Amino acid sequence: MDAASVAAFVSLAVSAAALAISIAAYRARAVPKHRKPTLSRERSKRIKRYVLLKVVCIDSEDPDKLFKELVQRVYTALGPALMARCGLALVAYRRDLGRAILRVSGSPDCVKHVLLALSMLHVLEDSRCLAVPLRTSGCLTRLRKALRVYRA
């Protein structure tokens, strides 16, 4: 064998060994694709949604009482764990239409929990008034048009 073929053989063996070492190192450090990073953007991002709801009362009961205590009643229905994660505020309401806009801020699951609490509110408190969520939107202007209130 001449020197050129020996050099080519050694070069090929070294490159194959380097390739094997890099593959082994990659497999040792690689994170499986089904795992998410511990601090993903989805978990840290807070959202803000607006819920348009209609209040219907039986036996001509006054819905003003429910409007004034709506946020506190929903917080009570959510419980202390969700109360700490979700922010609620009554943005606007119209007594004559029986409609209100509720702002929900927090994790994306907060909106689902608040909608569930609103639909279960009359059962939990044995109330004569029923709060029915009509629409959920990320844009307050759209819901104000439905409520026909253009200024806060």
Side-chain angles (χ1 to χ4, degrees):
M1 283 179 87
D2 63 55
S5 61
V6 170
F9 180 75
V10 170
S11 172
L12 185 61
V14 168
S15 64
L19 185 62
I21 290 171
S22 64
I23 289 173
Y26 176 75
R27 286 186 181 168
R29 276 188 271 141
V31 176
K33 289 188 178 183
H34 65 275
R35 258 198 227 166
K36 288 186 179 180
T38 55
L39 293 175
S40 68
R41 184 171 181 206
E42 295 173 6
R43 296 181 85 193
S44 63
K45 186 171 181 174
R46 292 179 57 87
I47 63 162
K48 193 185 306 178
R49 296 286 181 262
Y50 298 94
V51 179
L52 175 69
L53 52 102
K54 182 171 179 70
V55 175
V56 180
C57 291
I58 302 171
D59 298 334
S60 68
E61 192 171 320
D62 192 22
D64 274 346
K65 181 181 174 187
L66 182 68
F67 283 137
K68 291 177 183 174
E69 300 172 358
L70 183 68
V71 173
Q72 189 58 37
R73 287 183 180 188
V74 172
Y75 272 142
T76 305
L78 287 176
L82 289 173
M83 188 185 313
R85 288 192 315 173
C86 304
L88 295 175
L90 185 65
V91 175
Y93 72 92
R94 286 207 39 192
R95 188 177 316 135
D96 56 337
L97 294 176
R99 293 184 178 196
I101 297 176
L102 188 69
R103 181 176 60 230
V104 181
S105 60
S107 67
D109 293 337
C110 286
V111 178
K112 296 175 192 172
H113 292 298
V114 167
L115 289 175
L116 179 66
L118 283 171
S119 61
M120 296 295 294
L121 201 59
H122 70 286
V123 175
L124 295 174
E125 295 188 353
D126 197 28
S127 176
R128 306 287 294 172
C129 291
L130 181 68
V132 181
L134 299 176
R135 284 189 198 165
T136 302
S137 176
C139 182
L140 180 60
T141 308
R142 250 182 237 151
L143 293 184
R144 281 194 174 164
K145 285 180 182 178
L147 188 62
R148 296 183 203 116
V149 172
Y150 298 105
R151 290 190 178 160

